Amino acid sequence: MFHKPPAPAGWPALLFLSIAVVLMQGCSVLRGTPDEHDASTAQTRPADAGGPDAFALDVQSDDDAVREYLSRHMELQRFRQLPDLQAQELTRLLGAADANVRDLLATLGYFSPDITITLNDTPVPDKNTPAHTVQVRVLPGPRTHIASVDIAVSGDGGAGAQDLARRQAQLRRGWGLPPDAPFTQQDWDAAKAQGLRQLQERQYPTARIAESRADVDADQARARLSVHYDSGPAYRFGPLQIKGGERYDAEGMRRIARLPTGEDYSETKLLDTQQRLASSGYYDAVFLTLDTGHGDPQATPVVAQVRDAPLQKLIFGVGISTDSGPRLSMDHTHNRLPGLGWRAVTKVALDRERRLLSTDWTALPAADGWRWFTGLQLQREATGSFDVDSTRLRAGRTQSGNHIDRSYFLQHDTAKSHGVGAPASSSAISANYSWTGRYFNNATAPTRGWGLAGEFGAGTTLRPARDPFLRALLRWQSFIDLGRVEMGNNLRRSSRLSLRLEGGAVLAREGADIPVTQLFLTGGDTTVRGYGYRSIGARINNGELFGGRYMTVGSMEWQRPITVRGNRTDFESAMFIDAGAVADKPGDLSARVGVGAGLRWRSPVGPLQADLGYGLQSRQLRLHLRLGYTF
């Protein structure tokens, strides 16, 4: 029997333990025994080899977490299955086990444990039972807690001294390992890394940890932490340098990128710039870096490594939706029209409800960010109770900002309805302005923030008679935080309430023949669930469904992350109530209400939404599927 008394408490080599274990694999069976014989023995028995393990390992502790941690990470586990472990080698392993257990316990914050290691022979071993059992009894003792934390940030001084003091205060407020919290090596490393990350994300990309120290009083089970960050110089964005691109106008690409030259460095703004270039369609690959090795930190160049996209691209698509059934599509893109330099995107789409042919031409942005555009659309679509052939021709200018998109344009519409009792064919011309503000935390899968959009137009019908009209459409959406849901692994996600409102109106003489493309219909996946696509509209004299002059839509949805047995998932549950109404007179608006529940999945290609909605007036149950998010 082997018995080793507990070693006195001390400060272990916390930071180097895991690295040392990895480096010693295949090199030595024990620290301090790097001879080739030991290296040759540190190999586990093949899975198909016969015979029992060299020994069994039995870890005993009143603390389940300690027992599981030691059973998983003790170095003895590496040698249990050695095919020919000699008694002398086993004795040396046991001699090192005490220090190994103390090092492991220290990473959990236990610095004065009582450890007893014994080697017991199996009374009657057989071919399937190890001849020995190594028993490790552990009384971890008091767990060390944080007594104090000292965080300091220093840099180049001067004009940045006030900002460094403010950032230091922010780090202290958000420090992840506050006084009285249990000390673990993992939490200590994570807290330091989190603080460094906060500095590097904004203004100080070259910040580093200059010094860190954890002074542990094992007798008092208290730890005093200190970390000193060297911020390095404060950086500002300089010019954008595009490398690797030859096909497209570099100055035009810089205007698309909208790098905030002259502003303080921000990792978020750098990634936003990269995303704008990547989604522009002019490049197949984009990677942006701040060139901290050259130039003045107050005007640091940003280098964009790019790979040009083909001049032309043809994409065929096949899809299906609950609103319009199977869908076939073809998109052709020409990134630089000869003689004009504009981009042309031509689309052909065919589904159960619609047949579409369109082309949209867009110029590169000017120095002020505005760009010219024009477009033509030919469409046959099921609109209410009729099939409508329509055309739309528009031309104008548009501007996209970090949060706000604007456009103004002239538009010509024609509409011809088919069917018994269909309204007369009509056409109109209008001048329009649209404004969209997006203030969400994420453009593709938001969980916080709000958005507001408005479209305003004034025009006149051209046939069968001339009648002036005004048209307005407003949309609003907001996410309200309802508290955090524990997802496991120290991860929390918010439960939230999603609110959505939409309203539209067309003001004109009662008998004016407004093109149906300027009127309103609602219902479907993104408006009022529980009802078919654009199945909520106004009724004309013979009871047929048609577009109306007034529309209101409202939605309230509770979204909550889903955990499975305390483990995080990428799914969320949803419960909702939608309501919408369309009519030709405000007093005739009568709400159609849908209620239901759904599932959300954060898929690699975007948020996937599946909802089961029940229409209270239609008394029908409908499945609604949607991929992606737009506002």
Side-chain angles (χ1 to χ4, degrees), residues 94-340:
L94 296 177
D98 183 274
N100 176 228
V101 171
R102 292 182 183 279
D103 286 348
L104 291 173
L105 289 173
T107 65
L108 299 179
Y110 299 103
F111 293 95
S112 55
D114 186 5
I115 304 169
T116 302
I117 302 175
T118 58
L119 178 63
N120 301 320
D121 296 327
T122 303
V124 185
D126 55 38
K127 63 179 182 179
N128 296 319
T129 304
H132 309 287
T133 297
V134 177
Q135 189 176 77
V136 181
R137 294 189 183 94
V138 176
L139 295 175
R143 191 170 196 176
T144 298
H145 286 67
I146 309 302
S148 62
V149 180
D150 181 23
I151 302 171
V153 180
S154 63
D156 52 5
Q162 185 175 359
D163 181 71
L164 290 177
R166 181 175 55 84
R167 299 292 292 275
Q168 178 176 289
Q170 290 176 347
L171 291 181
R172 288 175 175 173
R173 287 194 300 268
W175 183 250
L177 199 58
D180 296 327
F183 173 87
T184 70
Q185 184 64 40
Q186 181 179 4
D187 291 342
W188 171 222
D189 291 340
K192 290 187 293 183
Q194 179 186 14
L196 180 62
R197 181 73 175 152
Q198 290 178 11
L199 284 174
Q200 292 175 339
E201 284 179 343
R202 184 165 49 89
Q203 202 171 357
Y204 302 104
T206 60
R208 63 184 181 88
I209 298 176
E211 182 182 5
S212 67
R213 185 179 181 86
D215 289 325
V216 176
D217 186 340
D219 294 334
Q220 298 295 323
R222 305 291 284 175
R224 294 186 300 276
L225 307 181
S226 63
V227 57
H228 174 209
Y229 295 101
D230 181 357
S231 70
Y235 283 83
R236 292 180 180 270
F237 287 119
L240 178 63
Q241 301 174 356
I242 298 178
K243 296 184 178 181
E246 300 178 354
R247 181 171 289 151
Y248 306 113
D249 177 59
E251 186 59 34
M253 297 303 107
R254 292 188 186 96
R255 293 168 183 167
I256 290 176
R258 301 200 307 274
L259 179 72
T261 302
E263 293 187 13
D264 288 339
Y265 167 81
S266 164
E267 184 181 79
T268 299
K269 292 179 180 179
L270 185 70
L271 293 177
D272 288 344
T273 302
Q274 178 173 292
Q275 179 60 33
R276 284 190 286 269
L277 277 179
S279 61
S280 68
Y282 289 99
Y283 298 118
D284 284 340
V286 178
F287 182 71
L288 265 62
T289 55
L290 187 71
D291 190 4
T292 57
H294 299 85
D296 181 3
Q298 294 299 295
T300 308
V302 174
V303 178
Q305 296 287 346
V306 302
R307 185 174 70 244
D308 284 338
L311 193 62
Q312 299 188 61
K313 182 166 56 177
L314 184 63
I315 299 176
F316 293 91
V318 178
I320 188 171
S321 75
T322 51
D323 280 339
S324 56
R327 180 180 67 256
L328 297 175
S329 64
M330 181 185 71
D331 293 7
H332 176 264
T333 301
H334 196 303
N335 276 329
R336 194 179 64 205
L337 287 173
L340 193 60

Side-chain angles (χ1 to χ4, degrees), residues 496-520:
R496 71 201 74 89
L497 194 66
S498 172
L499 302 176
R500 175 168 47 88
L501 293 174
E502 186 174 0
V506 175
L507 305 179
R509 182 178 63 85
E510 183 174 349
D513 291 306
I514 308 295
V516 67
T517 52
Q518 294 277 24
L519 301 178
F520 301 106

Side-chain angles (χ1 to χ4, degrees), residues 420-462:
V420 178
S425 299
S426 58
S427 64
I429 189 170
S430 59
N432 301 269
Y433 178 80
S434 68
W435 183 96
T436 301
R438 301 178 182 89
Y439 296 89
F440 300 111
N441 65 323
N442 187 299
T444 58
T447 58
R448 298 190 309 276
W450 59 276
L452 179 65
E455 299 176 14
F456 309 94
T460 180
T461 61
L462 299 177

Side-chain angles (χ1 to χ4, degrees), residues 16-37:
F16 303 104
L17 172 63
S18 58
I19 298 175
V21 171
V22 173
L23 293 177
M24 289 188 298
Q25 284 187 336
C27 299
S28 173
V29 293
L30 285 176
R31 288 181 302 177
T33 59
D35 56 274
E36 293 183 0
H37 173 72

